[in-house]
Amino acid sequence: QVQPVESGGGLVQPGDSLTLSCTAPERAFSDLNLGWFRQCPGKAREFVASITWSGEITLGADSVKGRFSISRDNDKNIMYLQMTNLRPEDTCVYFCAAGGSKSLAHTYAFWGPGTQVTVSS
């Protein structure tokens, strides 16, 4: 059983950067594919990025390409989502997911509770 936990969310201003982290205190997830999804107010859950256990990256919507990047450190059992040039429309709850395939949310078996990111001046 894997219980991902996100951290690093908060309130930032437009143009700021923020890095989210995901770890799993109970079990190493170095052998699992990992992903970031987000749910923004009034919208369906959206795929942000994924990274396989070996480091292959898939990015999501065009709106985040060039601004968001994903990485992982298997030795530290942690995954990151680096977000730059944040916009108000990035205000969402961000979820870490483990054990799935790329953008296919239904394939991820394990989900974190989410961390709120608010971008506002």
Side-chain angles (χ1 to χ4, degrees):
Q1 191 78 359
V2 176
Q3 183 53 61
V5 178
E6 306 92 344
S7 62
L11 172 64
V12 296
Q13 294 188 339
D16 283 354
S17 299
L18 196 64
T19 296
L20 305 182
S21 301
C22 174
T23 190
E26 301 296 326
R27 176 199 185 280
F29 52 37
S30 58
D31 59 333
L32 299 177
N33 299 333
L34 304 173
W36 287 101
F37 293 78
R38 68 182 184 181
Q39 184 140 26
C40 311
K43 297 184 179 181
R45 183 171 51 189
E46 178 184 35
F47 169 68
V48 177
S50 67
I51 186 166
T52 66
W53 63 272
S54 60
E56 178 186 349
I57 291 172
T58 301
L59 293 177
D62 288 343
S63 63
V64 306
K65 290 179 180 176
R67 299 189 300 123
F68 291 11
S69 61
I70 187 172
S71 61
R72 67 191 295 170
D73 185 333
N74 286 339
D75 290 338
K76 296 181 179 178
N77 200 43
I78 195 165
M79 174 179 67
Y80 301 102
L81 182 68
Q82 294 101 357
M83 305 184 292
T84 64
N85 192 21
L86 283 161
R87 304 168 181 169
E89 54 264 38
D90 296 319
T91 296
C92 313
V93 178
Y94 287 75
F95 297 91
C96 169
S101 177
K102 296 186 178 181
S103 64
L104 302 176
H106 70 277
T107 66
Y108 287 84
F110 309 106
W111 290 81
T115 186
Q116 176 72 47
V117 173
T118 302
V119 185
S120 175
S121 55

